[in-house]
Amino acid sequence: MNGLKHQGFTLIEIMIAVAIFTLIGIASTSVMTAVIDSDKLSENRFEKLQTLQRAMLTIERDLLQAVPRAVRIEGQENSQVMQGEKNLLESEADGFAFVRTGWQNPQLMLQRSTLQSVAYRMQEGKLERLFGNYVDNVVGFEPKVRVLLSNIEDFQVQFLLNADEDSADSESWDDSYAQDTLPVAVRVTITSQDFGVIQRQFLMSTEDS
C-alpha cells in the first residue's frame, strides 16, 4: 500500500483538454453553419427556378391558345388581334397584348366568355401579366396584375411575319406588331439578374377559330 501513488490530472492537462474540445466544438459549429447556409442558398435557388418555370409555362399556355380576335388596348376598339411594341401598356421595356381561348368556365356557370384578353409588360424590374374578366374591356378599365418574375432587367418581344423566312435571321423578326392576323411565331427574351438571358420561341396557330 505504501508503494502505490494515486495520480490525477494536473491543472495544465485539464486546460489542454478543455482547449481541444473547444476547438473541436468551434470547428463543428463552423461546418454546420456552412452546411445550413448552403442548404438555404440551394432552397432559395430552387424556389426561383420553380418561379421561372411557372412563368414560362404561363407565357407558353397563353401564346399557344392565342386566337385571331381583336384585342382592345385601353378600351379602344380596333381590328388588331395582337399588338406589341416598346412601352406598350406603360411597360418600361416591350409589351404585348392578345386574346387567348381556353379560359375555363365549367358549364358556363360564370357570366363571362371562355376568351380572355391578356397582356405582358415590365415595370419596376417585374414581369407582369395583365388580365380581366371580360374580353372586351371598356375605357377606364383597370386590369388585374399578376407578377410572374422579379429582378428582371429587360423584356423583349419579337414577331415573325413570314413562314418562308429564315427564322435564324435576326432581320426576319419585327420588334413591333399590330395586324389583324396572328404572327407566325413570337420570340420572348427575358434578361434576369438571377438567370441571365432566357429566350423562347413560340410557333403560333394561324388557323381561324
Coordinates of all heavy atoms in Angstrom, one line a residue, residues 123-209:
Q123 N -42.4 46.3 -65.4 CA -42.5 47.5 -64.6 C -41.7 47.3 -63.3 O -41.9 46.3 -62.6 CB -43.9 47.9 -64.3 CG -44.6 48.7 -65.4 CD -45.9 49.4 -64.9 OE1 -46.4 49.1 -63.8 NE2 -46.4 50.2 -65.7
E124 N -40.8 48.3 -63.0 CA -40.1 48.2 -61.7 C -39.3 46.9 -61.5 O -39.3 46.3 -60.4 CB -41.0 48.5 -60.5 CG -41.6 49.9 -60.6 CD -42.5 50.2 -59.4 OE1 -42.8 49.2 -58.6 OE2 -43.0 51.3 -59.3
G125 N -38.8 46.4 -62.6 CA -38.0 45.2 -62.5 C -38.8 43.9 -62.4 O -38.3 42.9 -62.0
K126 N -40.1 44.0 -62.7 CA -41.0 42.8 -62.5 C -41.7 42.6 -63.9 O -42.2 43.5 -64.5 CB -42.1 43.1 -61.5 CG -41.5 43.3 -60.1 CD -42.6 43.7 -59.1 CE -42.0 43.9 -57.7 NZ -43.0 44.3 -56.7
L127 N -41.8 41.3 -64.2 CA -42.5 40.9 -65.4 C -44.0 40.6 -64.9 O -44.2 39.8 -64.1 CB -41.9 39.6 -66.0 CG -42.7 39.0 -67.2 CD1 -42.8 40.0 -68.4 CD2 -42.1 37.7 -67.7
E128 N -44.9 41.4 -65.5 CA -46.3 41.3 -65.1 C -47.2 40.8 -66.2 O -47.0 41.0 -67.4 CB -46.8 42.7 -64.7 CG -46.0 43.3 -63.5 CD -46.5 44.7 -63.2 OE1 -47.1 45.4 -64.0 OE2 -46.2 45.1 -62.0
R129 N -48.2 40.0 -65.8 CA -49.3 39.6 -66.7 C -50.6 40.3 -66.3 O -51.0 40.3 -65.2 CB -49.5 38.1 -66.5 CG -50.6 37.5 -67.4 CD -50.7 36.0 -67.1 NE -51.7 35.3 -68.1 CZ -53.0 35.1 -67.8 NH1 -53.5 35.5 -66.6 NH2 -53.8 34.5 -68.7
L130 N -51.2 41.0 -67.3 CA -52.4 41.7 -67.1 C -53.6 41.0 -67.7 O -53.4 40.4 -68.8 CB -52.3 43.1 -67.8 CG -51.4 44.2 -67.1 CD1 -50.0 43.8 -66.9 CD2 -51.5 45.5 -67.9
F131 N -54.7 41.0 -67.0 CA -55.8 40.3 -67.5 C -57.1 40.8 -66.8 O -57.0 41.6 -65.9 CB -55.7 38.8 -67.2 CG -55.7 38.4 -65.7 CD1 -56.8 38.1 -65.0 CD2 -54.5 38.5 -65.0 CE1 -56.7 37.8 -63.6 CE2 -54.4 38.2 -63.7 CZ -55.5 37.9 -63.0
G132 N -58.3 40.4 -67.4 CA -59.5 40.9 -66.8 C -60.6 39.8 -67.0 O -60.3 38.8 -67.6
N133 N -61.7 40.1 -66.4 CA -62.8 39.1 -66.5 C -63.5 39.1 -67.8 O -64.2 38.1 -68.2 CB -63.8 39.3 -65.4 CG -63.3 39.0 -64.0 OD1 -62.4 38.1 -63.9 ND2 -63.8 39.6 -63.0
Y134 N -63.4 40.1 -68.6 CA -64.1 40.2 -69.9 C -63.1 40.5 -71.0 O -62.2 41.2 -70.8 CB -65.2 41.4 -69.8 CG -66.1 41.2 -68.6 CD1 -66.0 41.9 -67.5 CD2 -67.2 40.2 -68.7 CE1 -66.9 41.7 -66.4 CE2 -68.0 40.0 -67.7 CZ -67.9 40.7 -66.5 OH -68.7 40.5 -65.4
V135 N -63.4 39.9 -72.1 CA -62.5 40.0 -73.3 C -62.5 41.4 -73.9 O -61.4 41.9 -74.3 CB -62.9 38.9 -74.3 CG1 -64.2 39.2 -74.9 CG2 -61.8 38.9 -75.4
D136 N -63.6 42.1 -73.9 CA -63.7 43.5 -74.4 C -63.8 44.5 -73.3 O -64.9 44.7 -72.8 CB -64.8 43.6 -75.4 CG -64.6 42.8 -76.7 OD1 -63.5 42.7 -77.2 OD2 -65.6 42.2 -77.2
N137 N -62.7 45.0 -72.8 CA -62.7 45.9 -71.7 C -63.0 47.3 -72.2 O -62.6 47.7 -73.3 CB -61.4 45.8 -71.0 CG -61.1 44.5 -70.4 OD1 -61.9 43.9 -69.7 ND2 -60.0 43.9 -70.7
V138 N -63.7 48.1 -71.4 CA -64.1 49.4 -71.7 C -63.0 50.4 -71.3 O -62.1 50.1 -70.6 CB -65.4 49.8 -71.1 CG1 -66.6 48.9 -71.5 CG2 -65.3 49.7 -69.5
V139 N -63.2 51.7 -71.8 CA -62.2 52.7 -71.5 C -62.3 52.9 -70.0 O -63.3 53.0 -69.3 CB -62.6 54.0 -72.2 CG1 -61.7 55.1 -71.8 CG2 -62.5 53.8 -73.7
G140 N -61.1 53.0 -69.4 CA -61.0 53.3 -67.9 C -60.9 52.0 -67.1 O -60.7 52.0 -65.9
F141 N -60.9 50.8 -67.8 CA -60.8 49.6 -67.1 C -59.4 49.4 -66.6 O -58.4 49.7 -67.2 CB -61.1 48.4 -68.1 CG -60.6 47.1 -67.6 CD1 -61.4 46.4 -66.7 CD2 -59.5 46.5 -68.1 CE1 -60.9 45.1 -66.2 CE2 -59.1 45.2 -67.7 CZ -59.8 44.6 -66.8
E142 N -59.3 49.0 -65.3 CA -58.0 48.7 -64.7 C -57.8 47.2 -64.6 O -58.6 46.5 -63.9 CB -58.0 49.3 -63.2 CG -58.0 50.8 -63.2 CD -56.7 51.4 -63.7 OE1 -55.7 50.7 -63.7 OE2 -56.8 52.5 -64.2
P143 N -56.9 46.7 -65.3 CA -56.7 45.2 -65.4 C -56.1 44.7 -64.1 O -55.5 45.4 -63.3 CB -55.6 45.1 -66.5 CG -54.9 46.3 -66.5 CD -55.9 47.4 -66.1
K144 N -56.3 43.4 -63.9 CA -55.7 42.7 -62.7 C -54.3 42.4 -63.1 O -54.0 42.2 -64.3 CB -56.5 41.4 -62.4 CG -57.9 41.7 -62.0 CD -58.6 40.3 -61.7 CE -60.1 40.5 -61.4 NZ -60.8 39.3 -61.2
V145 N -53.4 42.5 -62.1 CA -52.0 42.4 -62.4 C -51.4 41.2 -61.6 O -51.6 41.2 -60.4 CB -51.2 43.7 -62.1 CG1 -49.7 43.5 -62.3 CG2 -51.7 44.8 -62.9
R146 N -50.7 40.3 -62.3 CA -50.1 39.2 -61.6 C -48.6 39.3 -61.9 O -48.2 39.3 -63.1 CB -50.6 37.9 -62.1 CG -49.9 36.6 -61.5 CD -50.3 35.4 -62.2 NE -49.5 34.2 -61.9 CZ -49.5 33.1 -62.5 NH1 -50.4 32.9 -63.5 NH2 -48.7 32.1 -62.2
V147 N -47.8 39.3 -60.9 CA -46.3 39.4 -61.0 C -45.8 38.0 -61.3 O -46.0 37.1 -60.4 CB -45.6 40.0 -59.8 CG1 -44.1 39.9 -60.0 CG2 -46.1 41.4 -59.6
L148 N -45.2 37.8 -62.4 CA -44.6 36.4 -62.8 C -43.2 36.3 -62.3 O -42.8 35.2 -61.8 CB -44.7 36.2 -64.3 CG -46.1 36.2 -64.9 CD1 -46.0 35.9 -66.4 CD2 -47.0 35.1 -64.2
L149 N -42.4 37.3 -62.5 CA -41.0 37.3 -62.2 C -40.5 38.6 -61.6 O -41.0 39.6 -62.0 CB -40.1 36.9 -63.4 CG -40.3 35.5 -64.1 CD1 -39.5 35.5 -65.4 CD2 -39.7 34.5 -63.1
S150 N -39.5 38.5 -60.7 CA -38.9 39.7 -60.2 C -37.4 39.7 -60.6 O -36.9 38.8 -61.2 CB -39.0 39.7 -58.7 OG -40.3 39.7 -58.3
N151 N -36.7 40.8 -60.3 CA -35.3 41.0 -60.7 C -35.1 40.9 -62.2 O -34.1 40.3 -62.6 CB -34.4 40.0 -59.9 CG -34.5 40.1 -58.4 OD1 -34.7 41.2 -57.9 ND2 -34.4 39.0 -57.7
I152 N -36.0 41.5 -63.0 CA -35.9 41.5 -64.4 C -35.3 42.8 -64.9 O -35.7 43.9 -64.5 CB -37.3 41.3 -65.0 CG1 -37.9 40.0 -64.6 CG2 -37.2 41.3 -66.6 CD1 -37.1 38.8 -64.8
E153 N -34.3 42.7 -65.8 CA -33.6 43.8 -66.3 C -34.1 44.3 -67.6 O -34.0 45.4 -68.0 CB -32.1 43.5 -66.4 CG -31.4 43.3 -65.0 CD -30.0 42.9 -65.2 OE1 -29.5 42.5 -66.3 OE2 -29.2 43.0 -64.1
D154 N -34.6 43.3 -68.4 CA -35.1 43.7 -69.8 C -36.1 42.6 -70.2 O -36.1 41.5 -69.8 CB -34.0 43.7 -70.8 CG -34.4 44.5 -72.1 OD1 -35.5 45.1 -72.1 OD2 -33.7 44.3 -73.1
F155 N -37.1 43.1 -71.1 CA -38.1 42.2 -71.6 C -38.3 42.6 -73.0 O -38.7 43.7 -73.3 CB -39.4 42.3 -70.8 CG -40.6 41.5 -71.3 CD1 -40.5 40.1 -71.4 CD2 -41.7 42.2 -71.7 CE1 -41.6 39.4 -71.9 CE2 -42.8 41.4 -72.2 CZ -42.7 40.0 -72.3
Q156 N -38.1 41.7 -74.0 CA -38.2 42.0 -75.4 C -39.1 40.9 -76.0 O -39.0 39.7 -75.7 CB -36.8 41.9 -76.1 CG -35.9 43.0 -75.6 CD -34.5 43.0 -76.3 OE1 -34.3 42.3 -77.3 NE2 -33.6 43.8 -75.8
V157 N -39.9 41.4 -77.0 CA -40.8 40.6 -77.7 C -40.6 40.9 -79.2 O -40.6 42.0 -79.6 CB -42.3 40.8 -77.3 CG1 -43.2 39.8 -78.1 CG2 -42.5 40.6 -75.8
Q158 N -40.4 39.8 -80.0 CA -40.3 40.0 -81.5 C -41.3 39.1 -82.2 O -41.7 38.0 -81.6 CB -38.8 39.7 -81.9 CG -37.8 40.6 -81.3 CD -36.4 40.2 -81.6 OE1 -36.0 39.1 -81.2 NE2 -35.7 41.0 -82.3
F159 N -41.6 39.4 -83.4 CA -42.7 38.8 -84.1 C -42.2 38.3 -85.5 O -41.6 39.1 -86.2 CB -43.9 39.7 -84.3 CG -44.3 40.3 -83.0 CD1 -43.8 41.4 -82.5 CD2 -45.3 39.6 -82.2 CE1 -44.2 42.0 -81.3 CE2 -45.7 40.1 -81.0 CZ -45.1 41.3 -80.5
L160 N -42.5 37.1 -85.9 CA -42.1 36.5 -87.2 C -43.3 36.6 -88.1 O -44.4 36.0 -87.8 CB -41.6 35.1 -87.1 CG -41.2 34.4 -88.4 CD1 -39.9 35.1 -89.0 CD2 -40.8 33.0 -88.1
L161 N -43.2 37.3 -89.2 CA -44.4 37.5 -90.1 C -44.5 36.6 -91.2 O -45.6 36.2 -91.6 CB -44.3 39.0 -90.7 CG -44.1 40.1 -89.6 CD1 -44.1 41.4 -90.4 CD2 -45.2 40.0 -88.6
N162 N -43.4 36.1 -91.7 CA -43.4 35.2 -92.9 C -42.8 33.9 -92.6 O -41.7 33.8 -92.2 CB -42.6 35.9 -94.1 CG -42.9 35.2 -95.4 OD1 -43.2 34.1 -95.5 ND2 -42.7 36.0 -96.5
A163 N -43.6 32.8 -92.8 CA -43.1 31.5 -92.5 C -42.0 31.0 -93.5 O -41.2 30.1 -93.2 CB -44.3 30.5 -92.6
D164 N -41.9 31.7 -94.6 CA -40.8 31.3 -95.6 C -39.5 31.9 -95.3 O -38.5 31.5 -95.8 CB -41.2 31.8 -97.0 CG -42.5 31.0 -97.5 OD1 -42.7 29.9 -97.1 OD2 -43.2 31.6 -98.3
E165 N -39.5 32.9 -94.3 CA -38.2 33.5 -94.0 C -37.4 32.6 -93.1 O -37.9 31.7 -92.4 CB -38.5 34.8 -93.3 CG -39.1 35.9 -94.2 CD -39.4 37.2 -93.5 OE1 -39.2 37.2 -92.3 OE2 -39.8 38.1 -94.1
D166 N -36.1 32.8 -93.1 CA -35.2 32.0 -92.2 C -35.3 32.5 -90.8 O -34.9 33.7 -90.5 CB -33.8 32.1 -92.7 CG -32.8 31.3 -91.9 OD1 -33.3 30.6 -91.0 OD2 -31.6 31.4 -92.1
S167 N -35.9 31.7 -89.9 CA -36.1 32.2 -88.5 C -34.8 32.5 -87.8 O -34.8 33.1 -86.7 CB -37.0 31.2 -87.8 OG -36.3 29.9 -87.7
A168 N -33.7 32.0 -88.3 CA -32.4 32.2 -87.6 C -31.9 33.6 -88.0 O -31.0 34.1 -87.3 CB -31.4 31.1 -88.0
D169 N -32.4 34.2 -89.0 CA -32.0 35.6 -89.4 C -32.7 36.6 -88.6 O -33.9 36.7 -88.6 CB -32.4 35.8 -90.9 CG -31.9 37.1 -91.4 OD1 -31.2 37.9 -90.6 OD2 -32.2 37.4 -92.6
S170 N -31.9 37.4 -87.8 CA -32.5 38.4 -86.9 C -33.3 39.4 -87.7 O -34.2 40.0 -87.1 CB -31.3 39.1 -86.1 OG -30.4 39.7 -87.0
E171 N -33.0 39.6 -89.0 CA -33.7 40.7 -89.7 C -35.1 40.2 -90.1 O -35.9 41.0 -90.5 CB -32.9 41.0 -91.0 CG -31.6 41.7 -90.7 CD -30.9 42.0 -92.0 OE1 -31.4 41.7 -93.1 OE2 -29.8 42.7 -91.9
S172 N -35.4 39.0 -89.9 CA -36.8 38.5 -90.3 C -37.8 38.7 -89.1 O -39.0 38.4 -89.3 CB -36.7 37.0 -90.6 OG -36.3 36.2 -89.5
W173 N -37.3 39.1 -88.0 CA -38.1 39.3 -86.8 C -38.4 40.8 -86.6 O -37.5 41.6 -86.7 CB -37.5 38.8 -85.5 CG -37.3 37.3 -85.5 CD1 -36.4 36.5 -86.1 CD2 -38.3 36.4 -84.9 NE1 -36.6 35.2 -85.9 CE2 -37.7 35.1 -85.1 CE3 -39.4 36.5 -84.2 CZ2 -38.4 33.9 -84.7 CZ3 -40.1 35.4 -83.7 CH2 -39.6 34.1 -84.0
D174 N -39.6 41.2 -86.4 CA -40.0 42.6 -86.2 C -40.1 42.9 -84.7 O -40.6 42.0 -84.0 CB -41.3 42.9 -86.9 CG -41.1 43.0 -88.4 OD1 -40.0 43.1 -88.9 OD2 -42.1 43.1 -89.1
D175 N -39.8 44.1 -84.3 CA -39.8 44.5 -82.9 C -41.2 45.0 -82.5 O -41.5 45.1 -81.3 CB -38.8 45.5 -82.6 CG -37.4 45.0 -82.7 OD1 -37.2 43.8 -82.5 OD2 -36.5 45.8 -83.1
S176 N -42.1 45.3 -83.5 CA -43.4 45.7 -83.2 C -44.4 45.0 -84.1 O -44.1 44.5 -85.1 CB -43.5 47.2 -83.4 OG -43.3 47.6 -84.8
Y177 N -45.6 45.0 -83.6 CA -46.7 44.2 -84.3 C -48.0 44.8 -84.0 O -48.4 45.1 -82.9 CB -46.7 42.8 -83.9 CG -47.5 41.8 -84.8 CD1 -46.9 41.3 -85.9 CD2 -48.8 41.5 -84.5 CE1 -47.7 40.5 -86.8 CE2 -49.5 40.7 -85.3 CZ -49.0 40.2 -86.4 OH -49.7 39.3 -87.2
A178 N -48.8 45.0 -85.1 CA -50.2 45.5 -84.9 C -51.0 45.1 -86.2 O -51.1 46.0 -87.1 CB -50.3 47.0 -84.6
Q179 N -51.4 43.9 -86.3 CA -52.1 43.4 -87.5 C -53.4 42.7 -87.2 O -53.6 42.3 -86.0 CB -51.2 42.6 -88.3 CG -49.9 43.3 -88.8 CD -49.2 42.6 -89.9 OE1 -49.7 41.8 -90.6 NE2 -47.9 42.9 -90.0
D180 N -54.2 42.4 -88.2 CA -55.5 41.7 -88.0 C -55.3 40.2 -88.2 O -56.3 39.5 -88.2 CB -56.5 42.2 -88.9 CG -56.1 42.1 -90.4 OD1 -55.0 41.6 -90.7 OD2 -56.9 42.6 -91.2
T181 N -54.1 39.7 -88.2 CA -53.8 38.3 -88.3 C -52.7 38.0 -87.2 O -51.9 38.8 -87.0 CB -53.4 37.8 -89.6 OG1 -52.2 38.5 -90.0 CG2 -54.5 38.0 -90.7
L182 N -52.7 36.7 -86.8 CA -51.6 36.4 -85.8 C -50.3 36.2 -86.5 O -50.2 35.8 -87.7 CB -52.0 35.1 -85.1 CG -53.2 35.1 -84.1 CD1 -53.5 33.7 -83.7 CD2 -52.8 36.0 -82.9
P183 N -49.2 36.5 -85.9 CA -47.9 36.3 -86.5 C -47.6 34.8 -86.6 O -48.3 34.0 -85.9 CB -46.9 37.0 -85.5 CG -47.6 36.9 -84.2 CD -49.1 37.0 -84.5
V184 N -46.6 34.4 -87.4 CA -46.2 33.0 -87.5 C -45.6 32.5 -86.2 O -45.9 31.4 -85.7 CB -45.2 32.8 -88.7 CG1 -44.7 31.4 -88.7 CG2 -45.9 33.2 -90.0
A185 N -44.8 33.3 -85.6 CA -44.2 33.0 -84.3 C -43.9 34.2 -83.5 O -43.8 35.3 -84.0 CB -42.9 32.2 -84.6
V186 N -43.7 34.0 -82.2 CA -43.4 35.0 -81.3 C -42.1 34.6 -80.5 O -42.0 33.5 -80.0 CB -44.5 35.3 -80.3 CG1 -44.1 36.4 -79.2 CG2 -45.8 35.8 -81.0
R187 N -41.1 35.5 -80.4 CA -39.9 35.3 -79.7 C -39.9 36.2 -78.4 O -40.1 37.4 -78.5 CB -38.7 35.6 -80.5 CG -37.4 35.5 -79.7 CD -36.2 36.1 -80.6 NE -35.9 35.2 -81.7 CZ -35.1 35.6 -82.7 NH1 -34.6 36.8 -82.7 NH2 -34.8 34.7 -83.6
V188 N -39.7 35.6 -77.3 CA -39.7 36.3 -76.0 C -38.3 36.2 -75.4 O -37.8 35.0 -75.2 CB -40.8 35.7 -75.0 CG1 -40.6 36.4 -73.6 CG2 -42.2 35.9 -75.6
T189 N -37.7 37.3 -75.1 CA -36.4 37.3 -74.5 C -36.5 38.0 -73.1 O -36.9 39.2 -73.1 CB -35.4 38.0 -75.4 OG1 -35.4 37.4 -76.7 CG2 -34.0 37.9 -74.8
I190 N -36.1 37.3 -72.1 CA -36.1 37.9 -70.7 C -34.7 37.9 -70.2 O -34.0 36.9 -70.2 CB -37.0 37.0 -69.8 CG1 -38.4 37.0 -70.3 CG2 -37.0 37.6 -68.4 CD1 -39.3 36.0 -69.6
T191 N -34.3 39.1 -69.7 CA -33.0 39.3 -69.1 C -33.2 39.3 -67.6 O -33.8 40.3 -67.1 CB -32.2 40.5 -69.6 OG1 -32.1 40.4 -71.0 CG2 -30.8 40.6 -69.0
S192 N -32.7 38.3 -66.9 CA -32.9 38.2 -65.4 C -31.6 38.3 -64.7 O -30.6 37.9 -65.1 CB -33.6 36.8 -65.1 OG -33.5 36.5 -63.7
Q193 N -31.7 39.0 -63.5 CA -30.5 39.1 -62.7 C -30.1 37.8 -62.1 O -28.9 37.5 -61.8 CB -30.8 40.1 -61.5 CG -31.0 41.5 -61.9 CD -31.3 42.4 -60.8 OE1 -31.1 42.1 -59.6 NE2 -31.7 43.7 -61.1
D194 N -31.1 36.9 -62.0 CA -30.8 35.6 -61.4 C -30.4 34.5 -62.4 O -29.6 33.6 -62.0 CB -32.1 35.1 -60.6 CG -32.5 36.0 -59.5 OD1 -31.7 36.4 -58.8 OD2 -33.7 36.3 -59.5
F195 N -30.9 34.6 -63.6 CA -30.6 33.5 -64.6 C -30.0 34.0 -65.9 O -29.8 33.2 -66.8 CB -31.9 32.8 -64.9 CG -32.6 32.1 -63.7 CD1 -33.6 32.7 -63.0 CD2 -32.1 30.9 -63.2 CE1 -34.2 32.1 -61.9 CE2 -32.7 30.3 -62.1 CZ -33.7 30.9 -61.5
G196 N -29.7 35.3 -66.0 CA -29.2 35.8 -67.2 C -30.2 35.9 -68.3 O -31.4 36.3 -68.1
V197 N -29.8 35.7 -69.6 CA -30.7 35.8 -70.7 C -31.5 34.5 -71.0 O -30.9 33.5 -71.2 CB -30.0 36.3 -72.0 CG1 -30.9 36.4 -73.2 CG2 -29.3 37.6 -71.7
I198 N -32.8 34.6 -71.0 CA -33.7 33.5 -71.3 C -34.5 33.8 -72.5 O -35.2 34.8 -72.6 CB -34.6 33.2 -70.1 CG1 -33.8 33.0 -68.8 CG2 -35.5 32.0 -70.4 CD1 -34.6 33.3 -67.6
Q199 N -34.4 32.9 -73.5 CA -35.1 33.2 -74.8 C -35.9 32.0 -75.2 O -35.5 30.8 -75.2 CB -34.2 33.6 -75.9 CG -34.8 34.0 -77.2 CD -33.8 34.5 -78.2 OE1 -33.4 33.7 -79.1 NE2 -33.4 35.7 -78.2
R200 N -37.2 32.2 -75.6 CA -38.1 31.1 -76.1 C -38.8 31.6 -77.3 O -39.1 32.8 -77.4 CB -39.1 30.8 -75.0 CG -38.6 30.0 -73.8 CD -38.3 28.5 -74.2 NE -39.5 27.9 -74.8 CZ -40.5 27.4 -74.2 NH1 -40.6 27.4 -72.8 NH2 -41.5 26.8 -74.8
Q201 N -39.0 30.7 -78.3 CA -39.8 31.0 -79.5 C -41.0 30.1 -79.5 O -40.9 28.9 -79.2 CB -38.9 30.8 -80.7 CG -37.7 31.7 -80.8 CD -36.8 31.5 -82.0 OE1 -35.8 32.1 -82.2 NE2 -37.2 30.5 -82.8
F202 N -42.1 30.7 -79.8 CA -43.4 30.0 -79.8 C -44.0 30.1 -81.2 O -44.3 31.2 -81.7 CB -44.4 30.6 -78.8 CG -43.8 30.7 -77.4 CD1 -43.1 31.8 -76.9 CD2 -43.9 29.6 -76.5 CE1 -42.6 31.9 -75.6 CE2 -43.4 29.6 -75.2 CZ -42.7 30.8 -74.8
L203 N -44.3 28.9 -81.8 CA -45.0 28.9 -83.0 C -46.5 29.0 -82.8 O -47.1 28.3 -82.0 CB -44.7 27.5 -83.7 CG -45.2 27.3 -85.1 CD1 -44.5 28.3 -86.1 CD2 -45.0 25.9 -85.6
M204 N -47.0 30.0 -83.5 CA -48.4 30.3 -83.3 C -49.3 29.5 -84.3 O -48.9 29.2 -85.4 CB -48.7 31.8 -83.6 CG -47.7 32.7 -82.8 SD -48.1 32.7 -81.0 CE -49.7 33.4 -81.0
S205 N -50.5 29.3 -83.9 CA -51.5 28.7 -84.7 C -52.2 29.8 -85.5 O -52.8 30.7 -85.0 CB -52.6 28.0 -83.9 OG -53.7 27.5 -84.7
T206 N -52.1 29.7 -86.8 CA -52.7 30.8 -87.7 C -54.0 30.4 -88.3 O -54.6 31.1 -89.1 CB -51.7 31.1 -88.8 OG1 -51.4 29.9 -89.6 CG2 -50.4 31.7 -88.3
E207 N -54.6 29.3 -87.8 CA -55.9 28.9 -88.3 C -57.0 29.7 -87.7 O -56.9 30.1 -86.5 CB -56.1 27.4 -88.0 CG -55.1 26.4 -88.6 CD -55.4 25.0 -88.2 OE1 -56.4 24.8 -87.4 OE2 -54.7 24.1 -88.7
D208 N -58.0 30.1 -88.5 CA -59.1 30.9 -88.0 C -59.9 30.0 -87.0 O -60.1 28.8 -87.2 CB -60.0 31.3 -89.1 CG -59.3 32.3 -90.0 OD1 -58.3 33.0 -89.5 OD2 -59.7 32.4 -91.2
S209 N -60.3 30.7 -85.9 CA -61.1 29.9 -84.9 C -62.6 30.3 -85.1 O -62.9 31.2 -85.7 CB -60.7 30.3 -83.5 OG -60.9 31.7 -83.3

